[in-house]
Structures are given as structure tokens and as C-alpha cells.
Amino acid sequence: MIKLFTKCLFSCLLLLLVSSNVFGQGSTTGNINGKIIDVNKEEIIGANVVATHVPTGTRYGTVTGVDGSYFIPNMRVGGPYTVTVTYIGYQEQSQENVYLKLGQTNRRNFTISESSTTLEAVTVTGSKISATDKTGTETTISEDMIATLPTLSRAIGDFARLTPQATVREGNDGFSISLGGVNNRYNAIYIDGAVNNDVFGLAGSGTNGGQTGVSPLSIDAIEEFQISLAPFDVTKGGFAGGAINAITRSGTNEFKGSAYYLFRNQSLAGKTPVDDDEFTRRKLNDFTGETYGFRLGGPIIKNKLFFFVNAEIQRDQTPQPFDFATYQGTANRDSLNRLEAKLSGYGYDPGTFEDNESFLNSEKITVKFDYNLSDVHKLSLKHSYINAENLEGVQSGTRRINYLNSSEFFNSTTNTTSLEVNSIFSNKLSNSLILGYTKVVDDRDPFGSPFPYVSINDGAGDIVFGSERFSTANLLNQSTFTITNNLSLYRGKHNITIGTHNEFYKMENLFLAYNFGEYQFNSLDDFLNDRAASFFQRVYSLRDNVSGDESAAISSFGGAQLGAYVQDEIQVDDRLRITLGLRADVPIFGDTPENRAFAAETVPLIE
């Protein structure tokens, strides 16, 4: 019954809203509101208010209501804007250099005089965001801040530190951002309104492709992003920690671009402490980190159609040297040479063990088009592609010989498309529709040729080679479709939003550890002389017993998160705004297959 009611509610909302505002999940716009009065403080009814985005010539317009107030929603973030008020019989008045922030409302009031009185134009070069412009605890990182603040990783985590409630840690999966002390997997990440957090929840960073350590978008492509923790706005939801919402740059009437190259190595990094009584410091091992790319934006049709493109390549290499003289096991170079010769007889190359390199290679491309269909409708279409390859590069140590081909090799590909249509039908009605689709393929594989994982006891040490145990059959495909629609009704002091935000998921996950088998030997001599292993195990699929990612044992399932809400923002005066809202979110899990044979009997655990 609940499921049927949910489907009916969702269908009704879609029909109602088919034709989003202001803030919203994955907010991508800003707003302007205010009041027009004359010198006698009488409200001006029917005054024309036009906001022009100077770099693109994009115009947004409305007229004042019976109380002299106006509201212009769904406007492009940034600026500068010129806001102009005209009314028959009155002097035209303008405010220049108006800038909009993501998800916030900039209040602009005007006092106009009759034409017989000459008034000079008012120029506003800057203004603070008043308390009523914000919707709770949030931090906005502007384009200027992104360009000027120092960053080593060129990832969102570097800028999230500007949020006092954020705890940022760096690990193998890149940055982990905890907001308000909540696990990072409870955050929601949106880029141009499309879901960009790791829905399945494996990446420590919580982002798509995060298991490789790559960031979900080039910093050079971001115009602004916002971190919200406790928004007093029912259109923001779907998270328990915080929402990280970013928008990409757009083209303007002028061709603008940049090319960049960033380089870092051990000589540009500080020394690391050495654990001894003299507190000496040692230089880091050799490494290189290179990032280079470009961005370009401009007009296709002046004042109407614009493009933006960003491409970035990352090449990070980290050699991990090992001094064999420090190894505490019993093997020497001669015995290791005999081991490698024996493996060669099996047709297997275990790789090196002394200078095992790790690397992260990535390519990122973002293309965006903005189209002013008319003064009523504005359309934005963006696609981004990210490919990343990461080699874990296991390192040998004083108690273990790790051959390089026992490393984990991870390839991740993410494609994200978002479409946004913003419409201002009248001074009383506007709508914003955002559609997003994200496809992520995470393919974790062994490095080198398929071979059983082998661990050999070597006195005080161990020798390890063969395919990494948990990468033998490991594949994750994720598809997420997002639809957000907000219908805004403006009635004097009331800004009423009726909206829906829905996410639909499809997952395919394959995981068969030890799929090529695992062998343990008591000594290197036992392995070289073909003695029996002390332990053996192999995990395989009962469906087809096919090794690797081609196995039919892959699990497929889906789900959805449906949200509907209504809200009334009451602008009592310039200093007081009251927000009343109600929201309902319903998670839905699709039908999942049931293994009745296992459900009917107790399966003993493997010790």
C-alpha cells in the first residue's frame, strides 16, 4: 500500500511540475529580490526590473507586484550584473557590479523619483551578504578564492578546509571530507545538479572514481562551489553530513582561456622526521607529480549561445626504492634468481621487487554549452569524462619481499551529463528543471598476467608474488539518473516552492576474492622443490566457474530515493525572512534475487 501511494504521489508531482527554483539539490543558480518605492515611500506597482549579465548579455526580467516587491529566480551565478528599474513618469535607475552567489538571494531595493527630478545612477561596487540571504550553515568558495588559495592536490578537499565544521584527511583514495563529525559517506556531492558521490560507498573520498585517488572534476573547470551543513531549506536534502555543490564555468561574449602546467617533486617537498634521538629529518624518496591542461570559453552566437571546454592530464609517479641489504629473511639473491627462473618456466613474470613504482594517470574533459533560448527560457548542457588508472605498487620492506605484479591495478571511468532548463514565465511564476545522468565503471584488476597468489614463509620474512587476492574478479558498474524540478510561485512577500528531487540507481557488482587460488608454503625450498603447499584455497562461482570479470556471478540490483517538498519563504522586511517547509523522502529498493538454497539451510563458516 505504501509503495503504491509513493508511486502515485511521485507521478502526480511529475505531472504538476513537468513544465526547479531557487535552491535545490544540486543548486546551480542564484536570485535577486527587493522592493521598489518612491521618495514618499509609496510602493511602485508594475515597475520593470531587468537584470543583465554583463559578460554574456543574458537578460532576466520581471515586474513589481501590488506591494512593490519583485523576485528574479534561476539566474546565472557570478556577474557582474546591472539591475535596471524603469517606470513611466519616473527616472530610470540602475545598480551596477552586482554579483550573485550560488544558492543565495541578493536583495536589491530601489527608491525612484519622478522624471522632473534628476537623479544620478547609483553604482554599487560591493555589498555584504546579509543574514537573510543565507539559508543556514554554509560556506561559499568563489572563483577568485579558487584561483588564489594555495592547493597541492587541486581537489575539493583543499578548499573544504575553509568550512570550520570540516575535517579533511588525505589517504590512498584521495581526500576524505567529514562534515559536522559525520562519516564522509553520508555527504551528498553534486556537480551542475548531477549526483557525483560514490553511491555504492567503497571510495574513501566518497566521490566517483575515488578508489583511484582521482578528483571528480578539474579545479580549473569550477566556477564556484558551496558546502552546506544545516540549511534551513527543505529543497536541500539527501545527506546527513553535508552537501557539496559545485557548478562549472560557462562561456561569455569574450573568448577567455588559460593553459597551465604544474610540477612537483621531492625537491619541492619538506623533509620527513626520522625516529632517532637527534630528531634529524630526511629527504623524501624521488617522485614526480605533473598536471597540465587548458580551458577556453567564448561565444558561438553573441548574447545567445556560449561554449566552455576544459581538458586536463595528470601524471603522478612515485618510485618506492628498497635496499635488499636490509631484508631480514633467509633468501639471498641467488635463491630469488632461482625462484624467478622457476616462475618463468610457468610462463609468468612476477615483476621487480626492489624499485616498485606506483602511479596515478588521469584524463579529464568537460564540455558545456549555455543557450539563451529567449528572455523566458535558459538552457545549459554539460558533459564530463574522467578516466583514471592507478597502480598501487606494493613496496618491499625489511620483513617482506613484494614482487610488483602482486599489486592492485585500478581503472575507473566516469561519464556525467546534466541538462538544466530555467524558465521565468511571469513575475509570479518560474520553474527550474535539472536532469542528470552519471555512469561509473570501476574495474579493479591484478597487475600482470593471471597467476595464483603465493605467500612463502622465509624465516623472519615473507616472499609474495602472483595476482593480488582481492582483485582477481572485482568489477563495479553504477548508473544514477537524477531529476529535480522546482516550481516557484511568487506572491508579494511569499515565495512558494513546490518541488521534487529523485535519484534512481542501478548497480552491478562482482567480487570473487582468491579467484585464481591462493597457496602458502612453509619455505622457499619447499616451493622450489615442488613440495605440497601448507595451505590452499580458491573461491569460484557455482554459476559458471569462469575466472575473472567475465563470471556470471555478478550481482545486479537497483533502487531509488524519492523526495517531495513544499516551502514558503516569507520576506517580512529587509531584516527578517521566515521559512516554512515540509519535506518527505522515501527510499525504495528494487526486487533483489534470493538464493533459496542458502536461505533454507545453515551454511557453516570457513575458519
Side-chain angles (χ1 to χ4, degrees), residues 73-283:
N74 304 331
M75 298 174 65
R76 181 169 171 168
V77 171
Y81 279 90
T82 297
V83 184
T84 303
V85 177
T86 57
Y87 189 65
I88 296 176
Y90 284 76
Q91 180 74 31
E92 178 182 305
Q93 189 178 130
S94 297
Q95 293 185 12
E96 299 177 348
N97 296 319
V98 176
Y99 289 84
L100 301 184
K101 291 186 177 295
L102 182 63
Q104 295 181 0
T105 300
N106 192 321
R107 188 162 180 82
R108 296 282 158 172
N109 296 327
F110 291 80
T111 300
I112 60 177
S113 299
E114 294 185 35
S115 299
S116 57
T117 303
T118 302
L119 281 180
E120 295 183 359
V122 177
T123 301
V124 179
T125 57
S127 62
K128 289 184 177 182
I129 299 296
S130 69
T132 59
D133 290 334
K134 286 193 171 185
T135 58
T137 306
E138 61 186 32
T139 301
T140 300
I141 295 91
S142 66
E143 182 179 345
D144 290 339
M145 296 171 70
I146 294 173
T148 56
L149 290 173
T151 172
L152 292 178
S153 65
R154 291 177 57 80
I156 292 177
D158 281 336
F159 302 96
R161 291 190 173 98
L162 296 173
T163 300
Q165 300 87 354
T167 301
V168 183
R169 297 183 177 89
E170 188 171 7
N172 294 332
D173 292 355
F175 281 101
S176 172
I177 304 173
S178 171
L179 297 173
V182 179
N183 187 286
N184 71 301
R185 289 177 173 84
Y186 290 95
N187 296 333
I189 302 174
Y190 299 92
I191 299 178
D192 291 326
V195 174
N196 269 265
N197 47 300
D198 175 31
V199 177
F200 198 81
L202 292 180
S205 63
T207 59
N208 289 327
Q211 293 186 77
T212 64
V214 73
S215 62
L217 187 70
S218 168
I219 286 295
D220 213 54
I222 295 179
E223 179 172 352
E224 187 173 297
F225 64 91
Q226 180 188 72
I227 300 174
S228 303
L229 281 87
F232 307 131
D233 188 339
V234 296
T235 67
K236 295 181 179 181
F239 60 90
I244 301 175
N245 181 32
I247 57 171
T248 54
R249 295 174 184 259
S250 297
T252 66
N253 278 328
E254 296 182 13
F255 287 97
K256 294 182 179 180
S258 69
Y260 51 94
Y261 174 75
L262 300 101
F263 174 80
R264 188 168 179 255
N265 65 7
Q266 69 284 347
S267 298
L268 299 173
K271 296 181 179 181
T272 184
V274 178
D275 189 15
D276 58 22
D277 295 335
E278 298 179 0
F279 299 102
T280 57
R281 299 174 70 85
R282 181 179 62 201
K283 193 174 183 179

Side-chain angles (χ1 to χ4, degrees), residues 300 304 441 515:
I300 299 176
K304 196 169 187 68
V441 178
N515 198 213

Side-chain angles (χ1 to χ4, degrees), residues 230-509:
F232 307 131
D233 188 339
V234 296
T235 67
K236 295 181 179 181
F239 60 90
I244 301 175
N245 181 32
I247 57 171
T248 54
R249 295 174 184 259
S250 297
T252 66
N253 278 328
E254 296 182 13
F255 287 97
K256 294 182 179 180
S258 69
Y260 51 94
Y261 174 75
L262 300 101
F263 174 80
R264 188 168 179 255
N265 65 7
Q266 69 284 347
S267 298
L268 299 173
K271 296 181 179 181
T272 184
V274 178
D275 189 15
D276 58 22
D277 295 335
E278 298 179 0
F279 299 102
T280 57
R281 299 174 70 85
R282 181 179 62 201
K283 193 174 183 179
L284 295 175
N285 294 325
D286 292 353
F287 72 92
T288 59
E290 293 181 283
T291 301
Y292 47 95
F294 76 94
R295 62 176 168 88
L296 178 65
I300 299 176
I301 302 175
K302 191 173 181 180
N303 292 337
K304 196 169 187 68
L305 180 60
F306 310 91
F307 79 94
F308 172 81
V309 60
N310 169 255
E312 182 174 288
I313 296 176
Q314 179 181 0
R315 296 290 185 264
D316 293 350
Q317 295 181 324
T318 309
Q320 302 177 105
F322 164 64
D323 183 2
F324 184 66
T326 64
Y327 179 59
Q328 299 178 11
T330 58
N332 53 35
R333 287 195 178 274
D334 179 65
S335 59
L336 291 179
N337 288 337
R338 287 189 288 126
L339 169 63
E340 294 168 13
K342 187 175 182 66
L343 293 175
S344 180
Y346 291 130
Y348 178 69
D349 177 11
T352 64
F353 67 86
E354 290 186 90
D355 293 303
N356 293 351
E357 181 184 71
S358 64
F359 63 77
L360 172 59
N361 298 332
S362 74
E363 299 83 31
K364 304 174 185 177
I365 299 175
T366 298
V367 180
K368 185 177 182 181
F369 297 96
D370 292 276
Y371 191 12
N372 295 331
L373 299 171
S374 66
D375 286 345
V376 175
H377 304 291
K378 310 292 189 296
L379 181 147
S380 180
L381 176 65
K382 188 215 71 175
H383 182 80
S384 66
Y385 165 83
I386 300 176
N387 181 69
E389 293 182 343
N390 171 242
L391 176 64
E392 178 190 53
V394 291
Q395 184 178 19
S396 298
T398 57
R399 292 184 176 273
R400 171 167 287 194
I401 299 292
N402 278 317
Y403 279 89
L404 180 61
N405 287 356
S406 65
S407 302
E408 165 196 323
F409 178 74
F410 206 112
N411 175 249
S412 178
T413 302
T414 302
N415 282 279
T416 304
T417 302
S418 61
L419 173 68
E420 180 176 5
V421 179
N422 290 312
S423 304
I424 303 177
F425 298 107
S426 69
N427 66 324
K428 295 184 178 181
L429 180 66
S430 66
N431 193 80
S432 176
L433 171 67
I434 300 176
L435 303 177
Y437 179 75
T438 303
K439 173 71 174 179
V440 185
V441 178
D442 289 334
D443 188 4
R444 174 174 169 175
D445 292 315
F447 194 60
S449 303
F451 198 80
Y453 178 85
V454 180
S455 174
I456 300 175
N457 185 287
D458 190 42
D462 294 292
I463 301 171
V464 174
F465 56 87
S467 297
E468 201 274 330
R469 293 168 288 179
F470 305 108
S471 304
T472 51
N474 196 324
L475 181 66
L476 174 61
N477 299 324
Q478 304 181 65
S479 298
T480 305
F481 176 69
T482 308
I483 177 170
T484 303
N485 199 98
N486 291 311
L487 184 70
S488 186
L489 308 173
Y490 188 62
R491 299 291 185 272
K493 296 181 179 181
H494 298 269
N495 178 19
I496 303 170
T497 300
I498 305 171
T500 180
H501 175 83
N502 309 279
E503 300 173 8
F504 303 89
Y505 312 107
K506 178 68 175 178
M507 310 287 181
E508 292 181 330
N509 182 231

